[in-house]
C-alpha cells in the first residue's frame, strides 16, 4: 500500500522503516547501522538544512534554528561538544574532569593519553561558549549571524536565478509540492521517503521529483561527490517510491521524469540542476562495479541486508561474512 502522509517531520523520523539515510548507513556500517544511530555533523550539512528550511518550510525556521555570535567549533571538538549537549543535561554543572573522561571514552584527539595535553584540546572559550549557546538554544541548531546572512543571500539567488526561479515562482500550470512524505513497498519491504520537491507539470503532464542540496565545492565537483556520497541510492529509491505513488494514489496518467538534484554551490553562489538519468537509476537499484572493480550495492540488495539484519539482531559483521565461507581478494 502506498500512502502520502500528513504528519510532522518528527513523526516521520520516528516511523520504523528504512529510508535512504538508513540504507546509506547500512552500506557503510553493515548491521551496526541498525544498532547505533550516526549523526552526520558538518557545517556544510547544517547549512543545507538551513537553506532547505528557508526555501521549503519557512514557517518552521525560528523553531529549528538559533542564531548566536558564538563561533562554532569544528572536527572532534564539535563532536565532543555536541555529544555532551545531545546526551547530558547541560543545565547542570559540567566539570572539566567529566569532559576529560568522556573525551577518552570517545577516543577523541588522537588517543592522547597525557591528561594535561588532552585537557588543553577542549578547555577553551570556543568549546565552553558553544555549549552555553546550545543551552540557550533549547535544542535548536546553533548558527552565527554571518551564516544567517549567507543563507538569506542564497535564498534570493535560488528564487531569482533563471536555473531555479521557475521552481520557486511557478506558473499557473506548475504545481510544486514540498516536503512530500510517502510510504510504500519496494521489493517486499515497506520504506519511507521525504522528498524535498515534487513538481506536477499539468501542461506537459509530467511529474518530477527533486532533492535540494547545498555544497561546499565548486559545481564541476558535484559529479564526483554524487558517487562518493551514494546519492544514486537516494535518487533511485525516491523515483521508485514516487512511481508507486503515481500508480496507487494520483492515477493521473502523467509521465514520471528522471530524478533531479537542485544544487546550490556556496563558493560559486550559483544554483544548478543535475539530472540523474536512467542509467544511474538502474545502477542505484541493482548496484554496479566501481572504477576499482569493486561491487557497489544498490537499493534492492541493501533492502535485503536490512531485512537480514532486522531478523538476525545478533549479527555483528557484514552479511557477506556470514553467508560466504570463502571470499575473493
Amino acid at each position: 500500500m502506498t500512502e502520502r502522509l500528513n504528519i510532522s517531520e518528527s513523526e516521520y523520523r520516528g516511523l520504523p522503516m528504512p529510508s535512504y539515510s538508513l540504507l546509506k548507513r547500512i552500506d557503510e556500517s553493515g548491521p551496526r547501522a541498525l544498532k547505533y544511530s550516526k549523526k552526520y555533523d558538518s557545517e556544510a550539512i547544517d547549512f543545507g538544512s538551513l537553506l532547505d528550511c528557508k526555501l521549503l518550510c519557512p514557517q518552521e525556521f525560528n523553531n529549528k534554528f538559533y542564531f548566536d555570535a558564538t563561533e562554532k567549533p569544528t572536527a572532534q571538538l564539535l563532536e565532543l561538544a555536541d555529544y555532551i549537549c545531545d546526551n547530558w543535561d547541560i543545565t547542570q554543572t559540567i566539570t572539566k574532569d567529566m569532559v576529560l573522561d568522556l573525551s577518552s571514552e570517545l577516543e577523541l584527539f588522537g588517543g592522547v593519553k597525557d591528561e594535561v595535553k588532552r585537557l588543553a584540546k577542549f578547555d577553551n572559550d570556543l568549546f565552553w561558549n558553544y555549549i552555553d549557546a546550545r543551552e540557550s538554544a533549547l535544542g535548536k541548531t546553533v548558527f552565527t549571524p554571518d551564516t544567517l546572512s549567507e543563507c538569506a543571500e542564497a535564498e534570493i539567488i535560488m528564487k531569482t536565478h533563471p536555473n531555479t526561479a521557475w521552481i520557486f515562482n511557478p506558473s499557473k500550470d506548475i504545481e510544486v509540492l514540498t516536503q512530500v512524505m510517502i510510504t510504500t513497498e519496494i521489493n517486499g519491504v515497506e520504506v519511507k521517503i521525504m522528498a524535498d520537491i515534487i513538481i506536477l507539470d499539468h501542461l506537459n503532464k509530467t511529474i518530477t521529483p527533486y532533492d535540494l542540496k547545498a555544497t561546499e565545492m565548486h559545481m564541476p565537483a558535484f559529479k564526483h561527490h554524487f558517487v562518493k556520497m551514494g546519492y544514486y541510492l537516494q535518487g533511485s529509491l525516491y523515483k521508485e517510491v514516487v512511481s508507486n505513488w503515481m500508480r496507487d494514489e494520483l492515477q493521473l496518467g502523467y509521465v514520471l521524469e528522471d530524478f533531479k538534484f537542485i544544487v546550490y554551490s556556496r563558493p560559486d553562489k550559483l544554483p544548478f540542476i543535475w539530472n540523474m538519468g536512467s542509467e544511474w537509476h538502474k545502477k542505484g537499484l541493482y548496484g554496479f562495479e566501481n572504477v576499482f572493480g569493486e561491487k557497489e550495492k544498490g537499493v534492492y540488495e541493501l533492502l535485503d541486508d536490512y531485512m537480514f539484519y532486522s531478523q538476525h539482531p545478533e549479527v555483528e559483521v557484514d552479511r557477506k561474512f556470514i553467508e560466504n565461507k570463502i571470499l575473493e581478494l
Side-chain angles (χ1 to χ4, degrees), residues 8-57:
S8 68
E9 183 176 339
S10 60
E11 289 173 318
Y12 167 83
R13 304 286 181 201
L15 293 176
M17 57 188 71
S19 61
Y20 154 67
S21 59
L22 179 57
L23 294 185
K24 184 174 184 294
R25 294 203 308 273
I26 291 173
D27 195 26
E28 295 171 340
S29 307
R32 293 183 296 279
L34 274 67
K35 299 176 183 179
Y36 311 104
S37 61
K38 180 176 181 180
K39 186 177 180 182
Y40 292 89
D41 281 319
S42 76
E43 208 277 337
I45 292 174
D46 283 347
F47 183 84
S49 299
L50 192 69
L51 184 58
D52 272 16
C53 188
K54 196 70 173 171
L55 289 167
L56 306 178
C57 52

Side-chain angles (χ1 to χ4, degrees), residues 165-219:
W166 65 275
I167 295 174
F168 301 103
N169 305 279
S171 66
K172 62 180 179 62
D173 296 315
I174 300 294
E175 183 179 355
V176 180
L177 308 178
T178 61
Q179 307 270 274
V180 184
M181 305 175 200
I182 305 172
T183 59
T184 191
E185 192 174 284
I186 299 293
N187 225 32
V189 183
E190 194 173 11
V191 301
K192 63 181 180 181
I193 69 164
M194 183 165 66
D196 283 342
I197 296 172
I198 296 178
I199 291 181
L200 282 67
D201 183 335
H202 297 296
L203 179 63
N204 296 300
K205 300 190 182 307
T206 61
I207 295 177
T208 310
Y210 293 81
D211 187 72
L212 177 62
K213 296 192 183 299
T215 178
E216 294 282 292
M217 60 196 67
H218 291 286
M219 196 53 65

Side-chain angles (χ1 to χ4, degrees), residues 157-159 161-169 262 271-273:
I157 292 171
M158 294 290 283
K159 289 181 175 180
H161 193 280
N163 287 351
T164 50
W166 65 275
I167 295 174
F168 301 103
N169 305 279
I262 305 168
F272 288 84
I273 296 178

Side-chain angles (χ1 to χ4, degrees), residues 7-261:
I7 57 178
S8 68
E9 183 176 339
S10 60
E11 289 173 318
Y12 167 83
R13 304 286 181 201
L15 293 176
M17 57 188 71
S19 61
Y20 154 67
S21 59
L22 179 57
L23 294 185
K24 184 174 184 294
R25 294 203 308 273
I26 291 173
D27 195 26
E28 295 171 340
S29 307
R32 293 183 296 279
L34 274 67
K35 299 176 183 179
Y36 311 104
S37 61
K38 180 176 181 180
K39 186 177 180 182
Y40 292 89
D41 281 319
S42 76
E43 208 277 337
I45 292 174
D46 283 347
F47 183 84
S49 299
L50 192 69
L51 184 58
D52 272 16
C53 188
K54 196 70 173 171
L55 289 167
L56 306 178
C57 52
Q59 70 280 2
E60 293 293 320
F61 195 74
N62 291 329
N63 296 327
K64 289 186 173 184
F65 306 108
Y66 178 85
F67 296 91
D68 189 284
T70 301
E71 184 182 354
K72 188 172 184 176
T74 58
Q76 293 185 81
L77 191 62
L78 176 62
E79 183 180 345
L80 178 60
D82 277 342
Y83 185 94
I84 290 170
C85 294
D86 293 338
N87 296 281
W88 291 5
D89 182 357
I90 55 177
T91 63
Q92 304 298 314
T93 301
I94 297 173
T95 68
K96 295 177 184 179
D97 286 341
M98 292 165 63
V99 180
L100 198 62
D101 291 341
L102 176 64
S103 67
S104 181
E105 289 175 20
L106 297 177
E107 299 180 348
L108 299 176
F109 310 126
V112 174
K113 301 297 183 184
D114 186 279
E115 289 193 353
V116 175
K117 293 180 179 179
R118 179 174 286 276
L119 184 67
K121 293 286 188 179
F122 69 82
D123 189 19
N124 52 58
D125 289 343
L126 180 63
F127 177 78
W128 295 111
N129 288 342
Y130 176 71
I131 289 179
D132 288 342
R134 283 286 306 266
E135 180 183 356
S136 300
L138 299 174
K140 301 175 185 178
T141 305
V142 178
F143 289 99
T144 65
D146 287 345
T147 308
L148 175 60
S149 298
E150 184 187 355
C151 180
E153 179 186 24
E155 179 189 13
I156 293 171
I157 292 171
M158 294 290 283
K159 289 181 175 180
T160 57
H161 193 280
N163 287 351
T164 50
W166 65 275
I167 295 174
F168 301 103
N169 305 279
S171 66
K172 62 180 179 62
D173 296 315
I174 300 294
E175 183 179 355
V176 180
L177 308 178
T178 61
Q179 307 270 274
V180 184
M181 305 175 200
I182 305 172
T183 59
T184 191
E185 192 174 284
I186 299 293
N187 225 32
V189 183
E190 194 173 11
V191 301
K192 63 181 180 181
I193 69 164
M194 183 165 66
D196 283 342
I197 296 172
I198 296 178
I199 291 181
L200 282 67
D201 183 335
H202 297 296
L203 179 63
N204 296 300
K205 300 190 182 307
T206 61
I207 295 177
T208 310
Y210 293 81
D211 187 72
L212 177 62
K213 296 192 183 299
T215 178
E216 294 282 292
M217 60 196 67
H218 291 286
M219 196 53 65
F222 182 75
K223 290 180 70 173
H224 306 288
H225 194 61
F226 165 84
V227 178
K228 178 182 177 182
M229 298 303 294
Y231 289 155
Y232 50 85
L233 296 172
Q234 181 182 20
S236 298
L237 176 66
Y238 280 36
K239 185 176 178 181
E240 288 297 294
V241 171
V242 173
S243 177
N244 286 2
W245 179 54
M246 290 171 62
R247 179 198 66 204
D248 297 341
E249 283 201 341
L250 289 184
Q251 298 179 344
L252 294 174
Y254 286 14
V255 173
L256 178 60
E257 297 285 281
D258 290 336
F259 187 89
K260 295 173 174 58
F261 292 92

